[in-house]
Structure formats: structure tokens, C-alpha cells
Amino acid sequence: MKFRTLGKNGIKVSALGLGCMGMSQFYGQTNDSNSLEVLNTAIELGVNFFDTSDMYGNGHNEELLGKLIKMSKNKFMVATKFGIKARSKEGAWIIDNSPEYIRQCCDASLKRLGVDCIDLYYLHRLNPNQPLDETIGTLGELVKSGKVKHIGLSEVSAETITKAHNIFPITAIQSEYSLWTRNIEHNGILSTCRNLGIGFVPYSPLGRGFLTGTIKSIDNLDNNDFRRATPRFQKENIGANLKAVKTIETIAEAKGCTTSQVALAWVLSQGEDIIPIPGTKRIKYLEQNIESINIQLSDSELELLNKSFTPNEIIGSRYSESAMKSLPY
């Protein structure tokens, strides 16, 4: 395993983390025994950075990682999140960043994980109608009290990152980033992180599985898979989006690797300060993902991928209309 440093605070983590959301919710059927097998295999292969949230399976995902912490002899870093309270009748997220709710969520996460301190605690979504200084100030208090080691933010603007960092040091920013979601390159988020010495953690670096080339139709997805409601996966859009994926497939065939490995190698090549957290429920794909760390893309391959995945080439938004309302861009 190769390692990278998350932020100027010098947290050493595996170059590839593991997103655990799908082990509890959103991507079809789940199985705790299988998930624990994948998690233990990840540790054996050198992964020491696991990502979860209190809202994944309404706490189930944290409880699953709590079982891993209890049974494993290895030390590893767990990042979890708070802030998404529920859904409205219209399907929009109800977001709470109030000090009282933060403290309540932190204590609940500590209990589910079975730990005394959370390694990295993210604000999952920002409520712009609540004072940022109170939110970040409360997180800072949790650090000072020993309940949290480091704090992070998820899906916030460059302006918010700067303001928050001036209130209390931010260690990591998490946002969606992959070949087909490259907003952070153009809206100042990535450059702001680098200017401030903040680590960047891309979630969905495989485009929710689409960049693996295995999803050819919405019919490939389980009935309870949330991607069925995601615009990019709809029948009227998926055909056009598959054209861009063919570029990845061509490069993968020439290099003798998988499509997913090329897609992950691209994300990893964007900077040593970037630690992707692809998710999977299968050991086979876990092993493939980790091997992407050793794949080098040439300048010509990188140029071809960059040209194939521009905003004009990707059809449809990355979330449903109601979910997009909780994002700053």
C-alpha cells in the first residue's frame, strides 16, 4: 500500500480509502457478513481510511464499522459525518447544523462506533441559514474536549472553506470528484484547499459505478438502487454518457487493466493531496481498486481522458433536482 498525507496536519492515510455507504443503503441489497469480510480484507491489504456517516442506513453503517473496530487488532482511521437530519415530504434534505444537534450527533456516533474519539468529523451538508461561526465553533469545542481529532466539511463552496478555516482549522474537504464530475477544478474549491493546506477527499471517484463500464442500462440496477432516480443514469441520458466511457475502456484495454483502474488512476494522478474513497461490497472490486495505485497514465492518456470528459460531454445532473438544492454548485 502507498500512503498520502491528509492536510498539512500530517495525517498519514492509505492513498486509497474505502467508502462504506453502499454496505448499508442506496446501492441495492446489503449483507453485513459479506461487508465485514470486505472491510477486513481492506485492512489486510493496507487500507486504513474508512468513510461513513450517521445517515447511512440511519446509523447502521456506523454500527457496522463499530463491529470492525471491536474485532480488528489493526488501527485505522474512521471519518464520519453529521448534518443531514431527515427528508421533507418533497424529498429534499432537512439539514441541521445547530450546536445542540452537532453535540447530539457526535455522542450518538461515538456510541455506535464504540470509540472515545472520532478521527475525522465532517459537516455532511451546510445549512446556509444557520451561523457558520456557531457550527464551526462547536466542532472546535469537540476537538478541544477530546471527542474529535480533526474536522472536515463536505460539499461546500470555496468561500465557505475559507471562512470556516479562519474560525477553526479544517483538515479535509470531501466532495464528489471523478472524470465525469469535475466542478471543483473550476469553482475554486481544489485551489482553495491547496492554498490553505487542506486535504481533499473525493467520493464517488468511479462515478457511482458508471465509469467502470459495467452499467449499460438503468435496467442493470436493483429496484431499490437510488441511481434509478439520478438524471445521468436515465434512459434518455445514459447512452450519450457511455460514449465518454469508451475512451476509458480503450485505454484500459491497451494497458491490460480494468476500466475502473484507469478511472481511479486518473483521480490519483490529480495530486498527492487527493485521497479517493471508492466504495464496493465485493472483494474482487476492492482488490482491483487498490491495484489502481500502481497504474501510471501517460501525458497523452491523461490528455485524451480530459478531452473526453468535459461538462459538454456529460448529460444530466449528478443528483435529483431536490438533492441538488443542498449543494452550493
Side-chain angles (χ1 to χ4, degrees), residues 241-255:
N241 290 332
L242 280 170
K243 292 179 181 178
V245 175
K246 288 181 180 178
T247 301
I248 312 177
E249 293 173 335
T250 299
I251 293 174
E253 184 177 358
K255 298 182 82 68

Side-chain angles (χ1 to χ4, degrees), residues 99-111:
E100 181 181 356
Y101 186 65
I102 293 171
R103 298 186 189 101
Q104 174 188 331
C105 288
C106 181
D107 288 342
S109 290
L110 286 168
K111 184 176 180 179

Side-chain angles (χ1 to χ4, degrees), residues 14-30:
S14 48
L16 208 69
L18 180 60
C20 303
M21 181 183 76
M23 295 177 178
S24 297
Q25 195 179 10
F26 296 112
Y27 292 120
Q29 299 297 318
T30 63

Side-chain angles (χ1 to χ4, degrees), residues 83 93-98 123-135 154-157 159-160 163 323-329:
W93 294 120
I94 297 174
I95 300 169
D96 192 344
N97 297 167
S98 64
L123 168 66
H124 204 163
R125 290 292 186 272
L126 176 74
N127 185 331
N129 297 316
Q130 292 177 301
L132 185 65
D133 57 344
E134 289 186 4
T135 298
S154 176
E155 293 289 15
V156 293
S157 67
E159 181 182 9
T160 296
K163 288 181 179 178
M324 288 296 292
K325 292 179 180 178
S326 69
L327 301 177
Y329 56 88

Side-chain angles (χ1 to χ4, degrees), residues 43 51 53 100 193 258 265 317:
I43 291 173
D51 184 88
S53 171
E100 181 181 356
C193 287
T258 68
S317 60

Side-chain angles (χ1 to χ4, degrees), residues 12 82 99 126 145 165 206 226 251 257 279:
K12 190 176 181 181
F82 77 92
L126 176 74
S145 69
H165 193 66
L206 289 173
F226 95 105
I251 293 174
C257 64

Side-chain angles (χ1 to χ4, degrees), residues 7 32 62 80 97 132 196 209 227 255 257 260 273 275-276 318:
D32 284 3
E62 288 183 328
T80 190
N97 297 167
L132 185 65
L196 297 174
R227 289 172 292 185
K255 298 182 82 68
C257 64
S260 59
D273 54 348
I275 297 94
R318 57 193 180 104

Side-chain angles (χ1 to χ4, degrees), residues 78 80 106 109-110 113 117-121 147-150:
V78 173
T80 190
C106 181
S109 290
L110 286 168
L113 291 167
C117 183
I118 296 170
D119 296 308
L120 176 59
Y121 201 35
K147 290 186 176 183
V148 171
K149 288 182 183 177
H150 303 277

